[in-house]
Amino acid sequence: MRGLRRIAAHGPEPARIVGGVLVGLVVAMALVGPLLVEGSPTRQDLSAVLQPPSPEALLGRDHLGRSVLVRLVHAARLSVSLGAAAVMAAAVPGILLGLLAAWAGGWTDRVLSGVGDAVLALPGLLLVLLVVALAPGAFWPLFIGLSLAMWVEWFRVTRAASAALLSSPAVEAARLLGFGPWHVLRRHVLPEMAPLFGTLAAFGFAGAVLAVGALGFIGIGLRPPTAEWGLMMVELLPYYDEAPLAMLAPALCLFALVLGLQLLAGRDPR
Amino acid sequence: MGGVARALLRRGVQAALVVVLVSVLCFTLVRLLPGDQALRVAEGRYGYDRVTAASADAVRAELGQDRPAIEQFLAWVGRLAQGDLGASLVTGERVAAEIAYQLGHTLLLSLAALALALLAGPALGLLAGLRPGGALDRAGMVGAAALRAMPVFALGIGLMVLFGVMLGWLPVAGFHDAENIVLPALALGLGLAAASARVARDATVAATNAPFFSFALLRGLSRAQAVRQHVPRNAAVPVLAYLAVNLALLVEGVVVVESLFGWPGIGHALSHAIAARDVPMLQGTALSLGLIFVGLNAFTDVAILAVDPRRRG
């Protein structure tokens, strides 16, 4: 007990450890799941509709006789890769433009901040919905909409944090010593902001995964027969009584991933 | 109260941005949608077997689709500026009339959820914060963390199955009685309430550890009196500030919850409009939700200024 307390006091917080384990489990499921569990997520077996768990389908089968476990791991791969891709696509322009705005100041800063304000005028999901309306059911509008809604947060945080860092005595000294912008960024600005980026990435990831699930759920995200957690839940809603596990499993995966990311991120940065 | 005027001015700018953003996106949408709209209208008028390229061109000229894009866009914005939202491509009803019918339902649902987030959440958080580390605190914070991570639609389904089907206490969907609102409002508001409980709890702990609190006790106030005098207002500011930046969650949740529970509001209409590619309806509903978002933002701005005298000026 005492040892535990000491670890709790000096090591990472217990909540973060739990979060890391949860995220690790889901990511492992996305990476190696489709290799371990054989079968196609869209292969139907109409003679085994809503079958309870069996050795062939460990989590049972859905209303079209598809293995729930196979669909679950493929959906994990989809959500994790879409979330990671959207975070990257939001982070890179967000960080670069944020640094540019903080470095250049003046009109550059004013124009970029204005664009950011314009994007933030609408709730993020509404923006995603309007972009998704271009081609409901397709993958690309979803990805573009998410990145478009998410880059502003990276931009704003980077701009605010780097503006403070750029006016610090350390940076002034480095500039007086004749070091160029690249050195200042690498040595003084980016390392200081790394933890901030970690938090933003975790929250952004959770938000993107939730948005994909929500859109699938209301029928305007990805289309059947794609294996996607939100879509799986809504497809199985009429059969929740006969096959509760088939509906519960995707909900639990989504919940575990989002909870894990939130615990890992610690406090809300906003 | 110069602060209020400034806050409202900023929200006015935001409202204008919402209108520009939504109309530009919807206009782009019409032009990017596959198929020739003029040809389809001409088919409707003359019959699909008698339509010619010439009659399609005539319709195109009539709709102004042969003009340059920028001119068409100005005409589009001009109609919007006159309050003309057009007619739904699916039902043929005026979009403005449909929205006027749905608006009340959406406002009712969002205000019910907001009340939950503003009253129940902070009250629980305050109780938990008065005894940090106590049983209520620990149980409450685990519950709050779980609720915050729960997707709105999963929470909605859970509530439906638990209260609607297994216990049979409440109707799962529909729009007839007052009790129809309970489950959708819970699904929409519980996540926000959990988060605001968490914020209120931390603010309560901070307030009871502050020097002014010790001084109040030193002046001879009982602990209950000191709590009443200092804690609620000090906790209200961060709760409102938290809600202000997370109102987007409420508006996003409206779309999902209304679709799930069959609530006849704007969010439900929005998801239908996207599925049916009903652009006028999409524009109208997206505009209304965007403006509701701005309105709620303005409301929290003013509320923060009313609660916190330090920010006026």
Side-chain angles (χ1 to χ4, degrees):
Chain A
M1 196 62 207
R2 228 184 188 177
L4 269 181
R5 278 219 187 108
R6 200 169 302 145
I7 292 172
H10 296 288
E13 304 155 44
R16 290 205 174 194
I17 298 174
V18 175
V21 170
L22 284 177
V23 174
L25 281 177
V26 180
V27 170
M29 184 171 131
L31 289 179
V32 299
L35 307 176
L36 291 180
V37 192
E38 284 184 19
S40 153
T42 52
R43 213 196 66 133
Q44 305 183 358
D45 180 359
L46 294 176
S47 64
V49 166
L50 297 174
Q51 202 182 52
S54 64
E56 292 86 52
L58 287 173
L59 289 174
R61 294 183 181 275
D62 70 4
H63 61 302
L64 295 174
R66 300 173 294 197
S67 161
V68 172
L69 182 62
V70 172
R71 289 180 68 71
L72 210 58
V73 293
H74 280 272
R77 178 168 275 193
L78 177 91
S79 281
V80 168
S81 45
L82 188 54
V87 165
M88 285 306 292
V92 172
I95 292 175
L96 291 179
L97 292 175
L99 288 173
L100 179 67
W103 194 286
W107 275 105
T108 319
D109 184 22
R110 246 172 281 172
V111 169
L112 286 173
S113 299
V115 173
D117 286 346
V119 174
L120 281 185
L122 274 181
L125 193 70
L126 219 52
L127 194 64
V128 179
L129 280 174
L130 285 171
V131 178
V132 165
L134 280 176
F139 180 87
W140 285 105
L142 196 55
F143 169 71
I144 292 172
L146 284 172
S147 331
L148 212 59
M150 280 166 38
W151 73 273
V152 188
E153 205 164 10
W154 290 84
F155 166 75
R156 290 195 143 195
V157 171
T158 307
R159 176 179 165 274
S162 59
L165 287 170
L166 285 176
S167 58
S168 70
V171 170
E172 201 178 336
R175 277 174 151 175
L176 285 175
L177 285 170
F179 287 113
W182 178 237
H183 171 88
V184 170
L185 282 184
R186 223 181 30 182
R187 181 78 182 78
H188 296 288
V189 179
L190 292 178
E192 291 285 323
M193 294 203 295
L196 213 54
F197 290 158
T199 310
L200 273 181
F203 274 107
F205 201 134
V209 169
L210 277 176
V212 173
L215 292 184
F217 187 81
I218 53 177
I220 43 188
L222 298 165
R223 284 272 163 86
T226 312
E228 193 277 316
W229 288 332
L231 208 53
M232 287 172 75
M233 288 176 66
V234 75
E235 282 173 348
L236 283 155
L237 187 53
Y239 312 101
Y240 81 93
D241 210 19
E242 293 129 284
L245 195 60
M247 205 185 80
L248 205 58
L252 276 180
C253 286
L254 187 51
F255 175 67
L257 181 56
V258 173
L259 179 66
L261 285 166
Q262 286 181 350
L263 290 176
L264 202 59
R267 273 170 182 279
D268 199 325
R270 283 175 287 181
Chain B
M1 296 289 270
V4 173
R6 218 174 312 140
L8 291 182
L9 185 69
R10 222 180 57 222
R11 294 306 171 192
V13 172
Q14 190 189 352
L17 283 173
V18 165
V19 175
V20 171
L21 208 60
V22 172
S23 57
V24 169
L25 279 170
C26 287
F27 179 74
T28 323
L29 192 62
V30 176
R31 296 185 59 85
L32 287 182
L33 280 180
D36 183 350
Q37 204 190 350
L39 186 68
R40 253 186 259 158
V41 173
E43 267 178 15
R45 283 188 194 165
Y46 309 118
Y48 69 93
D49 49 347
R50 296 177 61 187
V51 70
T52 59
S55 56
D57 283 340
V59 171
R60 191 166 296 124
E62 190 188 317
L63 296 177
Q65 288 191 341
D66 53 345
R67 310 274 173 74
I70 186 77
E71 213 172 297
Q72 286 187 46
F73 179 67
L74 290 178
W76 175 280
V77 172
R79 283 195 296 274
L80 192 63
Q82 291 165 13
D84 181 5
L85 291 170
S88 163
L89 298 180
V90 176
T91 63
E93 295 275 330
R94 305 300 300 170
V95 170
E98 295 230 354
I99 287 176
Y101 170 75
Q102 296 151 353
L103 182 66
H105 303 151
T106 294
L107 283 180
L108 186 67
L109 182 62
S110 349
L111 291 181
L114 208 54
L116 201 66
L118 274 175
L119 300 174
L124 261 179
L126 199 144
L127 283 180
L130 286 178
R131 280 168 190 264
L136 178 67
D137 187 30
R138 272 183 288 173
M141 288 313 112
V142 170
L147 272 181
R148 250 172 19 125
M150 187 89 80
V152 170
F153 51 95
L155 183 62
I157 289 185
L159 289 169
M160 268 182 173
V161 171
L162 181 64
F163 291 106
V165 183
M166 287 165 71
L167 297 172
W169 290 351
L170 292 162
V172 288
F175 188 72
H176 303 288
D177 305 311
E179 51 183 27
N180 276 116
I181 199 177
V182 177
L183 291 184
L186 281 175
L188 187 56
L190 273 181
L192 276 180
S196 60
R198 169 88 223 205
V199 175
R201 180 250 176 217
D202 290 349
T204 304
V205 172
T208 47
N209 286 327
F212 60 75
F213 193 82
S214 317
F215 180 64
L217 295 179
L218 216 57
R219 276 186 307 173
L221 267 65
S222 73
R223 195 175 146 82
Q225 280 171 322
V227 166
R228 259 204 305 280
Q229 201 168 72
H230 289 294
V231 174
R233 192 178 269 249
N234 272 301
V237 176
V239 167
L240 283 171
Y242 178 84
L243 274 183
V245 288
N246 285 284
L247 280 172
L249 292 179
L250 183 77
V251 177
E252 293 170 3
V254 160
V255 179
V256 176
V257 169
E258 286 187 352
S259 302
L260 173 61
F261 286 92
W263 190 258
I266 295 176
H268 195 191
L270 174 69
S271 61
H272 270 285
I274 291 178
R277 304 208 167 179
D278 186 347
V279 179
M281 202 61 205
L282 174 61
Q283 171 170 275
T285 48
L287 266 181
S288 324
L289 279 184
L291 292 177
I292 289 178
F293 177 59
V294 178
L296 289 173
N297 266 321
F299 166 75
T300 39
D301 285 351
V302 174
I304 290 177
L305 287 172
V307 172
D308 189 355
R310 289 167 298 186
R311 300 193 194 209
R312 290 178 214 150

